[in-house]
């Protein structure tokens, strides 16, 4: 349920309690009610109870204009703890609304509610929202579309726009699946299907009648707002016989880039222009995984499909695109490394040239003890170990007594330590394949260590993938900020040689970067948003295993650079 400008008496009372002021002439208050509740759906020949928002999969698409204030009334009517995260929203001075579980808030318990209120500032484009507790984002997600205040795009105005949300589907209960995986010390099982706008498509059983269909007219330009809402899979996306022009990623404009394949890590959004210049007919759109992980179980290599239909034609057999191989790293890397930002476009910022905080962060899998209650099966013949993940050999342990942001704001000791290392404790040949068999490198202690930085400091991070246990492309997502991707490549990062190749003119601006498998990626951002901001791998299994940390950004010198107090209804632990 959404409401713009006008309010019911019930919503008006809540808005008044929040101190919501009347909107300015150029902005509006956009309100939504999110009822997070169980719903029964039928897919792949099975009836299944899922957790969803307002009974829909995907959940409601939220449309706002830059400058609007979004107020979302979240009622948790499900049997599980819930939080809602607004993926990619900068949350300037509104970190209490960001949503990651135990980072900026404690979860919304069953039967409780929370009002998330924030202003969309200096952003336009495609973002999305999703649950940030457990694996609930498998079914709790939806699009967030931010329209330009000017009413104009820096590219041809499309005839129509369509959100294309890619996801995953499990026939089982995802919470039960995660609990079992944690008990065994292994990642969760692979999904049973991939989806386009919640629908598996023709190639899956009992799905033909419910395939997503996109109806178009010949010789028109359409915008597809593509979102990867999958939990654990990067995805290739194609439409048979058609090319795309990429015009934005992660709500940041790009120089137009023509391609016949789009590659998205979990969390990525890509806006493309599609020209319907082919012979009228029916064409499959399809997505299948890009699998970079080494020494991993075989993936689900099926494909989800939708159908692009010209001019309301009846069709019998749509044309199928030739999808890349599952392990086609060259295609994935070409796409990500070819994108550049559109200099001078709305909200574009130049690359910071003076670096105050320089970090070199190794990322990858590791091992940790099972604990007294677990029955681990991660390592054959060694039942006392579980798979974990780490950054600079620190495997993040999520607090449960208080959120990090509360601990920071109220200066509560004992929740975290501000000593996350800027360098790994040991230097070695990070991408040597022999590391996968060397358990001496594999143990990473659990801790709740964060990085504390001064307000307005410029931070540079070089992420270095490692081959411990096995190399993998890791999508690293930073909350509260966009960043410039100044460089990326394969092998070990070599500071002298690789820094000379940094793009300091027009690097792509993102909120999530896929660090190349067996390689590195360098980012820069200016810490001008006080609060606590999680940095984590957006493969959900790796986040739960500890591939995360957080930036504690101190207040600035003025009220306009100071984090305000928490709202009165902030969920408590």
């Amino acid at each position: 349920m959404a409401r713009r400008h006008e309010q019911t008496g019930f919503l008006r009372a809540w808005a008044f309690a929040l101190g919501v002021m009347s909107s300015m002439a150029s902005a509006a208050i956009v309100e939504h009610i999110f009822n997070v509740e169980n719903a029964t759906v039928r897919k792949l020949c099975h009836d299944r109870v899922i957790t969803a928002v307002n009974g829909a999969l995907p959940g409601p698409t939220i449309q706002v204009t830059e400058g609007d204030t979004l107020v979302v009334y979240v009622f948790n009517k499900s049997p599980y703890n819930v939080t809602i995260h607004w993926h990619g929203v900068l949350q300037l001075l509104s970190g209490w609304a960001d949503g990651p579980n135990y980072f900026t808030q404690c979860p919304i318990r069953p039967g409780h509610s929370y009002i998330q209120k924030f202003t969309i500032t200096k952003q336009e484009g495609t973002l999305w929202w999703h649950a940030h507790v457990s694996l609930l984002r498998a079914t709790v997600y939806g699009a967030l579309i931010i329209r330009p205040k000017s009413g104009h795009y820096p590219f041809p105005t499309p005839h129509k726009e369509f959100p294309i949300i890619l996801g995953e589907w499990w026939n089982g209960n995802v919470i039960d699946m995660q609990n079992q995986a944690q008990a065994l010390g292994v990642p969760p099982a692979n999904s049973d299907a991939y989806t386009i706008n919640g629908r598996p498509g023709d190639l899956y059983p009992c799905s033909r009648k419910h395939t997503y269909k996109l109806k178009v007219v010949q010789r028109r330009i359409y915008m597809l707002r593509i979102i990867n809402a999958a939990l654990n899979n990067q995805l290739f996306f194609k439409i048979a016989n058609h090319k795309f022009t990429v015009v934005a990623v992660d709500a940041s404009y790009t120089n137009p880039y023509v391609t016949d394949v789009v590659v998205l890590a979990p969390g990525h959004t890509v806006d493309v222009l599609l020209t319907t210049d082919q012979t009228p007919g029916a064409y499959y759109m399809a997505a299948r995984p890009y699998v970079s992980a080494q020494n991993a179980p075989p993936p689900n290599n099926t494909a989800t499909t939708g159908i692009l239909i010209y001019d309301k034609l009846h069709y019998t057999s749509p044309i199928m695109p030739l999808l890349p191989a599952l392990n086609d790293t060259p295609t994935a890397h070409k796409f990500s490394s070819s994108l550049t930002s559109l200099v001078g476009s709305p909200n574009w910022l130049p690359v910071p040239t003076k670096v105050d905080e320089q970090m070199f962060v190794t990322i990858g899998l590791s091992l940790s003890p099972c604990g007294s209650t677990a029955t681990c099966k991660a390592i054959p013949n060694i039942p006392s170990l579980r798979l974990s993940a780490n950054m600079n050999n620190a495997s993040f342990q999520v607090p449960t007594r208080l959120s990090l942001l509360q601990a920071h704001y109220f200066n509560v000791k004992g929740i975290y330590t501000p000593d996350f290392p800027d360098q790994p404790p040991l230097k070695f040949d990070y991408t040597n394949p022999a590391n996968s068999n060397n358990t001496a490198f594999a143990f990473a202690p659990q801790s709740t260590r964060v990085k504390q930085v001064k307000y307005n400091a410029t931070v540079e991070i070089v992420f270095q993938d490692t081959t411990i246990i096995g190399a993998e492309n890791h999508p690293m997502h930073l909350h509260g900020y966009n960043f410039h991707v100044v460089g990326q490549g394969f092998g070990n990062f070599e500071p002298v040689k690789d820094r000379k190749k940094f793009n300091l003119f027009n690097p792509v601006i993102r909120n999530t970067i896929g660090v190349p498998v067996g390689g590195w990626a360098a980012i820069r951002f200016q810490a001008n948003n006080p609060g606590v901001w999680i940095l984590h791998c957006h493969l959900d299994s790796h986040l739960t295993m500890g591939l995360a940390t957080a930036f504690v950004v101190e207040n600035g010198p003025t009220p306009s650079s100071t984090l305000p107090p928490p709202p009165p209804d902030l969920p408590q632990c």
Side-chain angles (χ1 to χ4, degrees):
M1 174 179 175
R3 186 173 293 270
R4 186 179 178 92
H5 294 296
E6 298 178 359
Q7 302 172 351
T8 64
F10 170 72
L11 296 183
R12 186 182 298 113
W14 268 23
F16 179 78
L18 277 173
V20 176
M21 306 300 292
S22 60
S23 63
M24 300 172 62
S26 60
I29 297 173
V30 179
E31 297 176 305
H32 282 259
I33 291 177
F34 275 18
N35 289 309
V36 184
E37 54 197 347
N38 282 355
T40 300
V41 298
R42 184 170 182 82
K43 294 188 190 300
L44 307 188
C45 315
H46 298 278
D47 287 327
R48 214 199 89 194
V49 176
I50 66 169
T51 303
V53 171
N54 300 345
L57 178 68
T61 293
I62 294 180
Q63 300 202 40
V64 295
T65 299
E66 189 206 340
D68 285 354
T69 295
L70 181 60
V71 184
V72 181
Y73 307 90
V74 182
F75 294 91
N76 185 7
K77 300 179 180 180
S78 82
Y80 309 112
N81 287 341
V82 166
T83 66
I84 301 294
H85 167 54
W86 311 93
H87 186 107
V89 173
L90 296 180
Q91 298 288 4
L92 293 172
L93 299 179
S94 56
W96 301 106
D98 190 42
N101 189 35
Y102 293 115
F103 284 85
T104 59
Q105 67 173 80
C106 298
I108 307 169
R109 299 188 300 275
H112 290 251
S113 60
Y114 182 40
I115 308 168
Q116 290 179 271
K117 171 179 175 279
F118 51 92
T119 299
I120 307 294
T121 305
K122 298 180 180 179
Q123 290 186 277
E124 55 189 69
T126 305
L127 296 173
W128 62 301
W129 57 266
H130 61 80
H132 215 292
V133 172
S134 188
L135 300 188
L136 286 180
R137 74 176 173 93
T139 52
V140 179
Y141 62 82
L144 172 58
I145 297 171
I146 307 170
R147 302 204 173 277
K149 188 183 301 184
S150 67
H152 302 288
Y153 300 122
F155 48 78
T157 301
H159 176 61
K160 287 185 179 180
E161 304 177 8
F162 300 96
I164 303 292
I165 309 180
L166 310 177
E168 291 184 86
W169 174 265
W170 281 264
N171 285 330
N173 181 293
V174 292
I175 303 299
D176 294 341
M177 176 184 68
Q178 184 185 35
N179 291 339
Q180 180 184 35
Q182 288 180 331
L184 297 176
V186 297
N190 288 327
S191 56
D192 294 293
Y194 305 105
T195 59
I196 295 176
N197 290 343
R199 304 179 181 194
D202 280 8
L203 305 185
Y204 292 103
C206 304
S207 301
R208 185 175 181 85
K209 291 183 180 179
H210 305 289
T211 297
Y212 174 72
K213 298 178 179 65
L214 179 59
K215 297 179 181 180
V216 298
V217 176
Q218 192 182 30
R219 291 185 292 275
R220 298 288 176 87
I221 297 176
Y222 295 85
M223 182 195 288
L224 305 185
R225 298 178 178 270
I226 312 170
I227 300 167
N228 186 355
L231 262 66
N232 292 311
N233 279 283
Q234 306 189 58
L235 296 166
F236 294 114
F237 177 81
K238 295 186 75 170
I239 298 180
N241 294 4
H242 289 74
K243 290 187 177 181
F244 309 111
T245 300
V246 178
V247 291
V249 295
D250 294 1
S252 295
Y253 292 114
T254 64
N255 284 308
Y257 174 64
V258 178
T259 177
D260 67 347
V261 59
V262 172
V263 187
L264 306 96
H268 275 161
T269 69
V270 179
D271 293 347
V272 302
L273 299 182
L274 171 73
T275 301
T276 49
D277 55 4
Q278 297 300 301
T279 302
Y283 301 84
Y284 272 124
M285 62 179 74
R288 68 182 289 184
Y290 160 51
V291 181
S292 63
Q294 301 171 359
N295 305 323
N300 177 350
N301 65 356
T302 58
T304 178
T305 54
I307 304 174
L308 182 77
I309 304 170
Y310 276 67
D311 301 322
K312 301 180 182 180
L313 289 176
H314 294 289
Y315 68 92
T316 53
S317 53
I319 300 171
M320 188 71 180
L322 179 63
L323 290 163
L326 293 176
N327 61 350
D328 191 347
T329 291
T331 292
H333 184 68
K334 178 183 178 182
F335 179 84
S336 63
S337 61
S338 297
L339 301 173
T340 54
S341 65
L342 184 59
V343 175
S345 59
N347 306 314
W348 177 85
L349 291 173
V351 184
T353 55
K354 178 181 176 293
V355 175
D356 302 301
E357 297 277 357
Q358 200 168 74
M359 304 174 69
F360 180 79
V361 179
T362 55
I363 55 177
L365 298 178
S366 51
L367 299 174
S368 62
C370 279
S372 58
T373 60
T375 305
C376 290
K377 295 183 180 180
I379 309 299
N381 304 318
I382 311 179
S384 60
L385 297 177
R386 66 167 57 247
L387 277 177
S388 62
N390 72 90
M391 300 169 63
N392 278 352
N393 205 47
S395 185
F396 195 84
Q397 187 169 29
V398 178
T400 57
R401 187 159 57 91
L402 199 67
S403 75
L404 294 179
L405 185 56
Q406 288 171 292
H408 165 61
Y409 186 86
F410 293 109
N411 196 27
V412 178
K413 304 299 182 184
I415 304 299
Y416 64 84
T417 57
D419 60 349
F420 181 82
D422 290 344
Q423 303 286 330
L426 179 67
K427 293 183 178 180
F428 58 97
D429 185 1
Y430 307 110
T431 56
N432 187 333
N435 293 336
S436 62
N437 299 315
N438 189 341
T439 56
F441 290 145
F443 292 90
Q446 286 190 318
S447 58
T448 309
R449 305 171 73 181
V450 305
K451 171 70 176 178
Q452 190 156 330
V453 298
K454 298 288 186 183
Y455 177 79
N456 241 13
T458 296
V459 181
E460 178 185 280
I461 309 174
V462 176
F463 296 109
Q464 175 68 63
D465 186 32
T466 66
T467 51
I468 300 171
I469 309 295
E472 186 171 3
N473 184 305
H474 294 277
M476 300 302 297
H477 172 48
L478 176 61
H479 291 217
Y481 294 95
N482 288 331
F483 50 72
H484 295 86
V485 183
V486 295
Q488 55 184 301
F490 293 99
N492 295 330
F493 176 72
E494 298 182 29
V496 175
K497 181 186 74 172
D498 291 327
R499 287 186 187 280
K500 293 179 180 178
K501 297 184 290 185
F502 279 6
N503 179 358
L504 302 181
F505 172 63
N506 65 347
V508 68
I509 299 171
R510 307 209 73 149
N511 61 56
T512 305
I513 175 62
V515 180
V517 54
W520 58 271
I523 70 170
R524 289 185 187 178
F525 68 97
Q526 189 171 14
N528 56 7
N529 190 11
V532 175
W533 307 104
I534 177 176
L535 169 67
H536 67 97
C537 180
H538 218 269
L539 300 176
D540 208 283
S541 60
H542 291 184
L543 169 59
T544 57
M545 290 193 293
L547 213 166
T549 186
F551 283 92
V552 175
V553 179
E554 299 175 1
N555 285 329
T558 65
S560 64
S561 59
T562 300
L563 179 70
D569 67 332
L570 183 74
Q572 301 300 308
C573 294

